[in-house]
Amino acid sequence: MNKRFYIIAAMAAAFVTPAFSQQQDSLLQNATLENVVQYALTHQPTVQQSLIDEQITERQIKGKLADWFPQLNLNYTVQHNFQIPQSVIGGQVIRLGVENTSTAALGLTQTIFNRDVLLASRSAKDVRAQARQNTSSNKINITVDVSKAFYDVLLTQEQTRVLEGDIVRLERSLKDATNQYKAGITDKTDYKRATIALNNSKAQKKQSEELYKARLVYLKGLMNYPETGQLTLAYDSARMEQEAFIDTVQNTNLQNRIEYQMLQTQKRLQEANLKYAKWSFLPNLSLFGNYNFSYLNNQFSKLYSNNLPNSNAGLTLAFPIFQGTKRVQEIRQAELELKRVDYDLIALKNNVNSEYSAALATYKSNLNTFYVLKENLDLAQDVYNTIQLQYKSGVKTYLEVINAETDLRTARINYTNALYNVLSAKIDVQKALGQFQY
């Protein structure tokens, strides 16, 4: 029994260990912003699909370009005639053919000029670029979304820590107020106010903890991170304050935006499509060669005993002379579609300028708020320390202590909000400037 148990345990470990090891390998040991973004770019399904789309595009291009190569085909048939065709020749009924026939036709064609193949050849580079740019666009969007979600998680995490520190102070104040009440120094209103303030902080802390869980799940979803995997964000507050600043006198460069690059590629493809429409007036030219094996016999068993082969080669020129106004309309349509792309570029330029102006205005506003609230935090801390000492000396009332604690907590939370609002606004400015490149 013991031997059997060890064998079963070893077999179970053989299956469980690789799966556990794979899960461990997919977890982040140091979840900094850079690592979180890189993890998302590696595991996010949208990016993986874009990379697959690039491979699909490459296969499609090669499939189109394959038409430039010689095309070799083999057609094989076996036929039995129940009634052989007959004709009257010289007043006599003559049967034309035999009961059994079989043919094997080997054909070779080589395209010399064909507008479909020519379009595939000339637009292949731009089609590849379009697929790559789509991947870059998805990566940029994921970087922005993941970065903002990262800051949101940190924001709620910091709010929870502020409330935890506030609860510690309030518990200490409640203890002091209770002891003073029992000693007959103060009435019961002080420790009741302390109890109310403590309960409010605990309720806010619970709310912040639940919000943290929700935002962490959202971040994991953006990253395609294992639901049950541990994700502890790593950051440096001092460094984050330094990284919150950005040069606000930069000018937008439209060429840095992925949207502009994609429109430029689309314009080149549309120009190629216009040429394709104009090529419809040119003929298609190709070479061909055929070799046919022909077997005929009235007896099926002797069908392949006699071969009457034939072969040919030639040049095919297919020239469409008149198709109504179809080709002219296709050219006009291609010209209008090309003109429409030009207006798309104008609209994009206007949108980029508006987007940058709005993002920059939001950033400057948040940065100013950050400076003000940072000063308020220092003042609130100084006021709290002073009133706490005065209260212990009997100069101030406990109500003033409660108000000072509330102001300090509010100042810390507002300061944290302001910092992450600046960081989030900075991301929007960087996106508007086209500084995210992949």
Side-chain angles (χ1 to χ4, degrees):
M1 290 295 294
N2 290 337
K3 183 177 181 180
R4 182 180 300 176
F5 172 79
Y6 287 125
I7 292 176
I8 295 175
M11 293 177 62
F15 287 100
V16 173
T17 301
F20 178 76
S21 177
Q22 184 177 3
Q23 183 180 7
Q24 289 295 107
D25 292 340
S26 64
L27 300 182
L28 283 176
Q29 303 300 323
N30 185 27
T32 62
L33 176 60
E34 293 78 8
N35 293 340
V36 166
V37 170
Q38 187 58 46
Y39 185 98
L41 294 177
T42 305
H43 295 83
Q44 229 284 340
T46 303
V47 175
Q48 298 303 317
Q49 289 176 335
S50 298
L51 294 174
I52 293 176
D53 289 341
E54 288 188 39
Q55 298 179 31
I56 293 174
T57 300
E58 184 64 28
R59 299 302 175 184
Q60 290 174 339
I61 291 173
K62 290 182 178 179
K64 295 291 185 181
L65 295 179
D67 290 338
W68 280 118
F69 294 98
Q71 309 294 310
L72 184 63
N73 298 292
L74 174 65
N75 295 318
Y76 173 77
T77 61
V78 177
Q79 179 177 323
H80 174 72
N81 298 312
F82 294 99
Q83 291 181 323
I84 299 175
Q86 302 180 43
S87 181
V88 178
I89 300 176
Q92 296 182 354
V93 178
I94 306 296
R95 296 202 314 173
L96 303 176
V98 295
E99 294 182 1
N100 302 294
T101 63
S102 178
T103 59
L106 190 64
L108 177 68
T109 59
Q110 172 62 59
T111 298
I112 298 177
F113 177 82
N114 181 287
R115 67 173 185 149
D116 292 327
V117 183
L118 189 60
L119 175 66
S121 177
R122 294 194 175 185
S123 62
K125 181 180 179 180
D126 290 325
V127 172
R128 290 189 181 100
Q130 189 178 54
R132 290 194 302 269
Q133 289 166 355
N134 182 62
T135 301
S136 299
S137 177
N138 289 332
K139 286 184 176 181
I140 290 172
N141 293 332
I142 289 172
T143 299
V144 172
D145 292 341
V146 169
S147 298
K148 289 186 175 181
F150 181 90
Y151 291 138
D152 284 341
V153 173
L154 285 185
L155 172 60
T156 52
Q157 185 174 306
E158 283 300 299
Q159 287 177 344
T160 302
R161 291 181 179 178
V162 169
L163 291 169
E164 287 175 350
D166 187 57
I167 289 172
V168 171
R169 290 192 304 273
L170 288 173
E171 287 177 342
R172 185 168 57 247
S173 296
L174 175 60
K175 183 179 179 180
D176 294 339
T178 302
N179 292 333
Q180 290 181 356
Y181 169 69
K182 291 179 179 180
I185 300 175
T186 60
D187 58 19
K188 60 183 179 181
T189 58
D190 284 354
Y191 82 85
K192 285 187 176 181
R193 284 172 176 167
T195 303
I196 293 172
L198 178 60
N199 290 337
N200 289 337
S201 291
K202 288 182 177 179
Q204 291 179 7
K205 177 175 174 289
K206 179 63 176 178
Q207 182 181 8
S208 180
E209 288 173 344
E210 295 302 322
L211 183 60
Y212 169 80
K213 292 177 183 179
R215 289 181 172 178
L216 184 62
V217 170
Y218 176 69
L219 175 60
K220 286 184 176 181
L222 289 177
M223 297 169 58
N224 193 29
Y225 199 81
E227 294 182 7
T228 58
Q230 182 70 22
L231 182 62
T232 303
L233 304 187
Y235 66 99
D236 184 348
S237 299
R239 181 184 174 189
M240 290 178 67
E241 284 193 26
Q242 296 174 356
E243 293 178 348
F245 304 102
I246 191 174
D247 185 5
T248 58
V249 296
Q250 300 179 76
N251 294 321
T252 58
N253 185 352
L254 200 60
Q255 296 181 354
N256 291 336
R257 292 291 296 262
I258 187 64
E259 296 88 346
Y260 175 80
Q261 298 169 16
M262 295 177 73
L263 280 177
Q264 286 292 332
T265 302
Q266 183 180 345
K267 182 178 180 179
R268 290 193 297 270
L269 289 174
Q270 196 57 51
E271 290 172 346
N273 189 53
L274 176 59
K275 292 180 180 179
Y276 174 77
K278 292 179 178 180
W279 291 337
S280 61
F281 287 96
L282 300 177
N284 293 329
L285 185 63
S286 62
L287 294 171
F288 70 86
N290 298 293
Y291 188 90
N292 303 315
F293 299 87
S294 181
Y295 301 93
L296 304 93
N297 205 299
N298 287 320
Q299 298 182 26
F300 186 78
S301 61
K302 297 181 180 180
L303 176 60
Y304 294 101
S305 62
N306 187 24
N307 178 27
L308 301 175
N310 62 84
S311 59
N312 57 71
L315 181 71
T316 299
L317 179 67
F319 189 82
I321 297 176
F322 181 72
Q323 296 180 341
T325 60
K326 178 180 179 180
R327 289 175 291 183
V328 174
Q329 302 305 326
E330 288 178 347
I331 292 174
R332 296 294 176 264
Q333 178 183 344
E335 289 174 344
L336 291 173
E337 290 175 347
L338 179 59
K339 188 175 181 180
R340 193 177 188 279
V341 176
D342 290 333
Y343 283 109
D344 287 337
L345 288 168
I346 295 174
L348 175 65
K349 181 179 180 180
N350 295 332
N351 291 337
V352 168
N353 290 333
S354 300
E355 180 183 344
Y356 176 66
S357 297
L360 189 61
T362 301
Y363 172 78
K364 289 181 177 179
S365 176
N366 290 339
L367 185 62
N368 180 70
T369 302
F370 170 74
Y371 286 135
V372 172
L373 295 179
K374 185 177 182 180
E375 182 181 0
N376 286 350
L377 176 59
D378 295 334
L379 294 173
Q381 183 68 56
D382 185 59
V383 169
Y384 172 77
N385 294 336
T386 302
I387 292 180
Q388 184 72 15
L389 291 174
Q390 291 175 340
Y391 170 72
K392 292 181 178 180
S393 301
V395 178
K396 296 291 185 180
T397 64
Y398 189 73
L399 178 60
E400 292 179 281
V401 176
I402 293 294
N403 291 335
E405 288 178 339
T406 303
D407 291 342
L408 179 58
R409 180 182 68 247
T410 303
R412 286 182 173 175
I413 292 176
N414 289 342
Y415 166 77
T416 304
N417 287 336
L419 174 60
Y420 292 112
N421 285 339
V422 171
L423 291 170
S424 181
K426 176 187 174 183
I427 293 174
D428 291 332
V429 174
Q430 289 177 309
K431 181 183 179 183
L433 289 171
Q435 293 183 352
F436 295 112
Q437 298 288 335
Y438 290 99

